[in-house]
Amino acid sequence: MAQLISEQEVAHVARLARLALSAEELELYTTQLASVLGHAGDIEALDIADVAPTAHPFPLSNVFREDELRPCLDRQEVLAQAPLVESDRFRIPRILSEAQ
Amino acid sequence: MSGPTDGAARDAGRGADWEMVIGLEVHCELRTATKLFCGCPNSFGDEPNVNVCPVCLGLPGSLPVLNKQAVEFALRIGAALHSLAQSSIFHRKNYFYPDMPKDFQISQYDVPINAGGWLELPSGKRIGIVRAHIEEDTGKTTHVGGGGRIHDAGYSLVDYNRAGVPLVEIVSEPDISSAEEAREYVEELRAILVATGASDGKMEEGSLRVDCNVSVKPLGSEELGTRCEIKNMNSLRSLGRAIAYEAARQAEVLSAGGRVTQETRHWDEAEGRTHSMRSKEEAFDYRYFPEPDLVTLAPSKEWVESVKANLGTMPAQLRRRVADAAGVPASSEAVSTVVRLGLEGLVGAAVDAKADAGLALRRLANEVAGELGDGGGHNLGREAFAHLVLMEQRGELTSAQARSVLKIMVAEGGQPEEVASRLGFKALGAGALEAVVEEVVAANPREWERYAGGDDKLTGFFIGKIKAATGGNADLKAASELLRSRRGAS
Amino acid sequence: MSSPAGASPTGQGPVPAASLSGSCAMSASDIAAGVRSGELSALGVLEEHLSQVERWEPEVHAFNLVTADAARARAREVDAMVAKGKDPGPLAGVPVALKDLLCTRGVPTTCSSRILAGWRPPYDATVVKKVAEAGAVAVGKANMDEFAMGSSTEHSATGPTRNPHDLKRVPGGSSGGSAAAVAAGFSALALGSDTGGSIRQPAALCGVVGVKPTYGLVSRYGLVAFASSLDQIGPFGRSVADAALALDVISGHDELDSTSLPGDPPRAASRLGRGVEGLRVGVIAELAGAEGISPDVAAALDGAAQSLAASGAKVEEISVPSVRFGLSAYYMIAPAEASSNLARYDGVRYGFRSPGQDITEMYMATRSVGFGAEVKRRIMLGTYALSAGYYDAYYGKAQKVRTLIIRDFDSAYSSFDVLLAPTSPTVAFELGAKTADPLAMYLSDVCTIPSNLAGHPAMSVPFGKGECGLPIGVQVLAPALGEPVMFQVAEALEAAAPLGTGDPHGEEAK
């Protein structure tokens, strides 16, 4: 794996993460991310193909809740937090592309 | 790219040169009382944004806790589809969309709760199941301005009542080879989901939503073509139309030497065509990773066994039972119609009353199904229906009379004798009919001689006379049998 | 206690803000005992703390919000309970600072980010409820690095917190406001969160005790997530016993957190007062000798090990080889989870929105203006680590390193009861010293990260002073649910610490 990340890749990642970067930011972040990824080179070099990954520190399983109703939030309290509301819904600018 | 617009091009997809390869992804909302990860009501049609809490609104700091009943339903669906229930985990599927409060969806990815399986169509064909996994639903976005169409809208409004409702997504193998078969698959799956109690099966309320992967390949070719995913089909009818359209579109592209682009396409019901949904953006990269706020879901063997043991009778089993009782193949259309409409109990009633189950099946599949259309209830009592079949069988009512009586019983209920007499149908017993036949023969000796000598063209003549003599109350089938047996005896 | 008036962020000399008197110098357990017995009034205790806040908060900036009125109302309730003969609980009248990523119903919770400006959560975090039910009085929302990403509390939308021991220096981070509040006598206790050292490192730099409990011991419900598989809430106190008291209040199973451990939690205070005779203590060679450990920190660690040996513990050096890879693994896993956890800040439902012609423009404008540079950096790093083509090389591999670290710790704990390591490689550094070099900042966490990756408990205890008379912390690590023995050893270190350690009055190092 390459130790450096290109400006194109940083731009792609910023787009995926919905972050707009100026040209200077793009350059700065590319340098900084490359430096962190360079440090991560030590684990890239490890040969641990047969080691199982750990997603949770402790292997808990089967934690459930019963299918029982709990109180909902008050709609006015919820909507009062929103930047823009119309007809008891969250109002957003138009959507140009579909989700999936 | 413009799609085919005329009938000739549309036929290309069904033509001799191409065959369709179809896989379906069906999202089924589970009939739990509460949402998948919180205690808000799982309820359709409420005022916007009333069924919300920190968890399903994705508020900072909130955490999901899995609804046990949703897992129970998922296991039932898996059992009904002959899937393997396995230890599974949840993943996050990351993408930005305003109907997703966390801007990721909690779903299952490479280790779903139900793996593999199959579904048997009424025709007897088995469609492979890849997986049936648990995931959360999204909220609902309403587009304002531009006639409600997403791209033309001025702005949109979001309601999160549906966000976090439990879903099971059932992914089929690409084993389906026509639009009609796709419809059959969805109908069968819907019947199974309803039979498990996991779903109300209401496509019109979005309880069941179908996405579809379509590709075409040269007839007989082993190699799969490039597929397109079609979304936004809100009924079985639009599913069929969308598949036919899309297959034809792809066949036209390929026939013209072009290439099909793998993409998601949107079905436009009004225009009757699919549109590319691809924007100018980069391809989607969902960055799946294990959901760190949830733990492993590993249903115990006991749980899985108990789900299997308590699973009700599934439609395919019902069809086999009905078919066996009526002495017809399980793949017959009458059987699947009767089971689809939930009328199998009436066939059972006929069997219990020692009535002709085959006749009962035909009356249900034709007259009753015709009255019911695509749904709706009936008022037929079990015993009343069985008795009506017996009356017809014994010749106490003609077929035509029995059908008339049945239609009234479907709508209003009641006993067959009472309905028949209200309609003025005389109960014409076997003895009475015999007497009429003798009268008619005696009155037409020359014609009888020719009929007895083997001239079958005179059957109609005698039947007409018998009909006239009885004022239409005779069972004409029984009458022609009487004529035949009299000829044999003479 | 007199303090030089007019000390400013650029002021020199002694460390006025850390000079404590009255109830501001008392332990939490003494305050609670006094309030429960009626000898002290909760309101009186609170007013003394609020005076300290009023005097020094403009210099220290430990808080994003001081909730003085609500605190007074709460203190009166506590006093009323006592007057009626009811027991307000083990934290009766104890002023507590809450890191500003703990949800507080109706009270702004900002995570020191512009993007959450004005947000008032409609619910309380489980720990917030628990400390309130134990009789504590919340004095305010403590400053932090934005979304807990940082090691200096400089990455805050409200400006940096300053170290009460030296106002030119950072308090550490990300829970720098919580650590500074306790060190400055603004509160007797504080709650913070620790994802890679965010409680222990500021505790060390501010000369207080800070605890990262076993993952799952304390409910995360209502803790605004940074990296869900690593985050854990924990207490700050001016003594080991106070930290144990606070931890015992907030620990325990919570049905609202699926990762919360089942069963009764171990009592942190259960082995206090027993000494360390016969305990086996391992000094982690890879961390004691890590690159960048300054000589004063190394000397303090040596001193700590020797003092335990002198008290009868068996102390040896032990190798935990894979901890060397902890930093790299952490800087893949934590940003990856963060990139997903922070996606929800999109301007639709709450918080800040910057307008846009369409939804994507709005998202990008909102997030670009709403998030600070460090948060954006980590979101991009995490997005990259998860993206197609890199998952296996980065995130996948980091999760395997996590397995190795757990294995190595398990092996070490088969021979040792606890392990020792430095907390921070250096004493508090000056503001601005590392802001331009993210990697240098990340290296501050090298000794604290392994416990988060393993899910194990660890705590920092002040032990002596280093360069410029600044506090040094020594880290005690224990196996999962090993809090009792961890506190037992920490208590011995506290007792054996060189003269001046527990005296935050700014005297030069001995």
Side-chain angles (χ1 to χ4, degrees):
Chain A
M1 197 57 58
Q3 292 205 344
L4 293 174
I5 182 170
S6 67
E7 283 196 8
Q8 284 84 345
E9 284 173 303
V10 173
H12 168 73
V13 160
R15 174 78 194 179
L16 274 179
R18 299 294 183 267
L19 294 170
L21 301 184
S22 68
E24 297 89 58
E25 282 176 310
L26 185 62
E27 198 185 330
L28 178 67
Y29 284 136
T30 303
T31 312
Q32 291 175 335
L33 292 187
S35 137
V36 177
L37 291 171
H39 188 273
D42 61 352
I43 64 166
E44 281 178 57
L46 284 177
D47 180 17
I48 46 176
D50 53 342
V51 175
T54 296
H56 283 101
F58 304 111
L60 294 178
S61 63
N62 296 333
V63 174
F64 300 118
R65 42 173 281 273
E66 295 303 320
D67 188 18
E68 286 161 6
L69 288 169
R70 279 172 161 268
C72 296
L73 289 173
D74 173 68
R75 179 166 70 186
Q76 288 330 111
E77 190 177 1
V78 168
L79 295 176
Q81 299 295 318
L84 200 56
V85 166
E86 183 177 309
S87 310
D88 295 322
R89 294 172 173 89
F90 297 87
R91 180 170 163 169
I92 52 171
R94 66 203 181 119
I95 302 168
L96 292 180
S97 63
E98 301 262 354
Q100 318 177 35
Chain B
M1 171 185 315
S2 77
T5 50
D6 60 9
R10 188 154 309 181
D11 284 342
R14 280 174 261 154
D17 299 331
W18 303 96
E19 59 181 305
M20 300 184 196
V21 178
I22 301 162
L24 296 181
E25 294 169 8
V26 175
H27 287 85
C28 165
E29 283 184 356
L30 303 180
R31 285 180 58 206
T32 51
T34 65
K35 294 186 179 183
L36 185 53
F37 298 119
C38 65
C40 289
N42 170 10
S43 155
F44 178 82
D46 292 339
E47 283 275 294
N49 293 308
V50 290
N51 300 327
V52 294
C53 76
V55 177
C56 60
L57 269 180
L59 294 189
S62 66
L63 296 170
V65 184
L66 184 59
N67 183 339
K68 191 172 189 182
Q69 185 62 39
V71 178
E72 163 78 21
F73 282 145
L75 287 173
R76 284 193 209 169
I77 292 169
L81 295 174
H82 315 94
S83 293
L84 175 73
Q86 59 179 11
S87 175
S88 63
I89 61 169
F90 289 89
H91 270 72
R92 290 187 184 175
K93 179 182 185 181
N94 294 286
Y95 62 98
F96 283 86
Y97 205 73
D99 63 10
M100 283 200 310
K102 304 182 291 292
D103 287 301
F104 61 78
Q105 181 192 30
I106 303 178
S107 180
Q108 295 193 301
Y109 180 49
D110 52 358
V111 265
I113 183 165
N114 297 301
W118 46 267
L119 173 152
E120 188 178 307
L121 295 179
S123 68
K125 178 173 174 180
R126 279 186 183 182
I127 306 297
I129 300 294
V130 179
R131 54 194 279 140
H133 69 257
I134 303 172
E135 63 183 31
E136 59 178 341
D137 208 345
T138 61
K140 264 189 185 160
T141 308
T142 310
H143 308 295
V144 181
R149 284 169 44 163
I150 185 165
H151 298 279
D152 308 331
Y155 58 91
S156 299
L157 300 173
V158 197
D159 166 18
Y160 292 105
N161 281 345
R162 200 181 65 181
V165 161
L167 296 175
V168 165
E169 180 180 346
I170 299 127
V171 181
S172 86
E173 296 281 1
D175 291 347
I176 297 163
S177 46
S178 70
E180 294 78 64
E181 206 167 80
R183 291 179 54 159
E184 280 172 33
Y185 169 86
V186 175
E187 287 198 339
E188 182 65 12
L189 182 57
R190 175 162 70 176
I192 290 171
L193 295 170
V194 171
T196 59
S199 167
D200 63 16
K202 292 179 184 167
M203 278 188 94
E204 66 281 9
E205 289 186 4
S207 302
L208 223 56
R209 304 195 287 274
V210 184
D211 298 335
C212 158
N213 287 299
V214 180
S215 66
V216 299
K217 60 178 185 179
L219 199 62
S221 163
E222 292 294 312
E223 207 173 314
L224 289 176
T226 304
R227 65 191 159 88
C228 291
E229 184 176 12
I230 315 173
K231 289 180 175 287
N232 193 43
M233 295 153 298
N234 299 320
S235 66
L236 285 177
R237 185 168 170 273
S238 49
L239 172 69
R241 288 179 70 203
I243 291 173
Y245 173 87
E246 179 61 19
R249 184 192 71 84
Q250 292 183 15
E252 192 184 44
V253 168
L254 295 172
S255 298
R259 287 177 60 180
V260 173
T261 313
Q262 182 162 350
E263 62 180 348
T264 298
R265 299 178 68 85
H266 188 89
W267 169 248
D268 187 319
E269 182 71 32
E271 290 184 18
R273 55 200 293 167
T274 62
H275 293 284
S276 175
M277 283 163 62
R278 177 174 285 238
S279 63
K280 291 187 193 84
E281 290 175 37
E282 73 284 349
F284 283 97
D285 180 347
Y286 295 123
R287 290 159 282 135
Y288 281 99
F289 74 103
E291 165 56 278
D293 289 328
L294 290 170
V295 302
T296 302
L297 169 57
S300 67
K301 224 179 222 172
E302 294 74 34
W303 191 4
V304 173
E305 288 309 314
S306 120
V307 163
K308 279 185 190 163
N310 295 309
L311 201 62
T313 314
M314 290 299 118
Q317 288 166 277
L318 286 179
R319 283 197 301 270
R320 220 160 286 132
R321 279 188 206 166
V322 168
D324 288 350
V328 297
S331 59
S332 80
E333 207 171 313
V335 170
S336 67
T337 302
V338 163
V339 170
R340 177 168 52 81
L341 295 174
L343 301 172
E344 64 279 351
L346 293 169
V347 178
V351 171
D352 293 345
K354 301 203 163 35
D356 180 343
L359 177 59
L361 178 68
R362 287 196 301 280
R363 289 287 164 262
L364 291 168
N366 299 324
E367 282 70 32
V368 177
E371 289 301 296
L372 295 182
D374 267 342
H378 64 79
N379 292 298
L380 283 174
R382 283 172 55 89
E383 279 163 23
F385 173 73
H387 191 61
L388 176 69
V389 175
L390 280 171
M391 287 175 73
E392 182 183 351
Q393 204 179 317
R394 290 181 194 137
E396 292 165 24
L397 289 174
T398 66
S399 297
Q401 288 172 336
R403 286 197 288 261
S404 304
V405 171
L406 185 53
K407 284 180 187 177
I408 287 168
M409 287 167 65
V410 167
E412 302 169 9
Q415 295 303 317
E417 295 92 337
E418 177 264 319
V419 175
S421 81
R422 184 143 52 91
L423 291 176
F425 297 156
K426 274 188 247 162
L428 195 66
L433 184 60
E434 219 166 310
V436 172
V437 170
E438 287 306 319
E439 270 172 37
V440 169
V441 169
N444 301 281
R446 232 175 286 158
E447 285 79 2
W448 177 253
E449 212 165 293
R450 278 166 58 196
Y451 175 74
D455 188 349
D456 282 340
K457 279 178 284 186
L458 282 150
T459 309
F461 169 82
F462 281 105
I463 293 292
K465 293 285 177 194
I466 293 166
K467 201 172 168 182
T470 57
N473 280 345
D475 180 341
L476 300 179
K477 214 169 108 193
S480 64
E481 263 165 39
L482 277 174
L483 285 170
R484 263 200 306 279
S485 63
R486 198 178 186 283
R487 172 165 73 174
S490 67
Chain C
M1 186 87 231
S2 72
S3 307
S8 73
T10 51
Q12 305 288 321
V15 189
S19 305
L20 310 182
S21 63
S23 68
C24 298
M26 286 172 72
S27 72
S29 45
D30 285 348
I31 292 172
V35 169
R36 285 164 116 173
S37 71
E39 277 170 45
L40 289 174
S41 86
L43 189 59
V45 168
L46 175 68
E47 293 298 350
E48 281 189 284
H49 283 79
L50 290 177
S51 300
Q52 180 77 352
V53 170
E54 197 177 348
R55 185 158 190 186
W56 292 113
E57 171 64 3
E59 311 294 337
V60 175
H61 186 39
F63 290 106
N64 287 336
L65 179 70
V66 176
T67 50
D69 291 341
R72 287 189 178 104
R74 177 70 188 135
R76 285 191 192 98
E77 279 174 19
V78 170
D79 287 333
M81 283 180 81
V82 175
K84 282 186 206 152
K86 291 187 197 153
D87 181 4
L91 297 181
V94 176
V96 175
L98 303 171
K99 188 175 182 180
D100 199 16
L101 47 41
L102 297 171
C103 289
T104 41
R105 179 163 192 155
V107 176
T109 300
T110 71
C111 299
S112 291
S113 181
R114 267 192 84 171
I115 211 154
L116 273 175
W119 183 55
R120 291 168 189 265
Y123 74 110
D124 276 327
T126 296
V127 292
V128 170
K129 277 191 188 163
K130 284 194 167 195
V131 294
E133 283 162 10
V137 176
V139 293
K141 305 299 291 283
N143 195 11
M144 54 187 279
D145 284 300
E146 183 178 3
F147 285 105
M149 297 176 186
S151 307
S152 67
T153 316
E154 291 167 290
H155 302 299
S156 165
T158 65
T161 297
R162 291 164 188 277
N163 193 316
H165 294 269
D166 180 346
L167 297 169
K168 297 190 305 299
R169 294 180 187 257
V170 302
S174 66
S175 311
S178 298
V182 171
F186 297 165
S187 64
L189 295 173
L191 296 183
S193 66
D194 190 315
T195 307
S198 283
I199 290 173
R200 291 160 287 162
Q201 185 256 15
L205 270 47
C206 290
V208 298
V209 176
V211 184
K212 185 209 90 82
T214 301
Y215 185 82
L217 186 65
V218 178
S219 169
R220 292 184 294 117
Y221 192 77
L223 162 70
V224 179
F226 163 14
S228 313
S229 77
L230 304 166
D231 293 343
Q232 191 60 189
I233 297 168
F236 289 90
R238 284 191 297 270
S239 70
V240 170
D242 275 5
L245 173 69
L247 179 56
D248 284 340
V249 165
I250 61 174
S251 65
H253 180 72
D254 181 8
E255 60 180 20
L256 298 178
D257 177 357
S258 302
T259 62
S260 166
L261 294 172
D264 287 335
R267 307 311 292 172
S270 60
R271 296 179 66 91
L272 292 181
R274 293 199 189 181
V276 293
E277 178 100 46
L279 287 181
R280 299 161 304 168
V281 178
V283 179
I284 303 175
E286 288 79 4
L287 299 182
E291 197 188 323
I293 303 291
S294 65
D296 51 350
V297 170
L301 183 66
D302 270 352
Q306 282 165 26
S307 78
L308 292 175
S311 305
K314 293 177 202 154
V315 183
E316 284 172 48
E317 195 170 81
I318 164 82
S319 171
V320 186
S322 57
V323 299
R324 287 175 293 146
F325 303 111
L327 191 78
S328 293
Y330 176 85
Y331 277 99
M332 294 296 129
I333 293 171
E337 293 183 8
S339 71
S340 175
N341 283 330
L342 272 64
R344 72 192 66 191
Y345 306 105
D346 62 7
V348 173
R349 291 159 299 276
Y350 45 81
F352 172 78
R353 173 190 287 191
S354 185
Q357 287 302 303
D358 63 66
I359 188 81
T360 304
E361 263 191 49
M362 187 277 275
Y363 284 160
M364 298 191 75
T366 297
R367 292 166 62 81
S368 300
V369 176
F371 289 135
E374 180 59 24
V375 171
K376 289 187 210 175
R377 194 149 44 229
R378 297 213 199 180
I379 288 175
M380 285 192 288
L381 183 57
T383 303
Y384 182 70
L386 289 176
S387 65
Y390 297 103
Y391 183 94
D392 289 338
Y394 290 120
Y395 189 77
K397 201 132 200 185
Q399 284 201 321
K400 291 179 172 193
V401 170
R402 213 168 164 178
T403 307
L404 294 185
I405 288 174
I406 292 173
R407 275 189 205 164
D408 284 358
F409 271 127
D410 285 348
S411 157
Y413 288 123
S414 67
S415 316
F416 294 94
D417 297 300
V418 298
L419 302 177
L420 284 192
T423 303
S424 163
T426 66
V427 295
F429 45 91
E430 294 195 351
L431 271 89
K434 298 187 182 180
T435 40
D437 183 357
L439 184 58
M441 187 77 89
Y442 298 172
L443 287 166
S444 309
D445 303 330
V446 70
C447 296
T448 44
I449 277 170
S451 304
N452 298 85
L453 291 171
H456 293 167
M459 65 192 286
S460 182
V461 194
F463 197 92
K465 298 201 169 182
E467 199 186 318
C468 308
L470 290 162
I472 292 175
V474 165
Q475 197 183 183
V476 185
L477 299 82
L481 300 176
E483 276 80 359
V485 70
M486 177 175 83
F487 275 90
Q488 185 183 0
V489 173
E491 186 191 38
L493 287 175
E494 182 178 54
L499 208 58
T501 296
D503 168 24
H505 292 202
E507 297 206 22
E508 289 302 314
K510 308 286 176 292

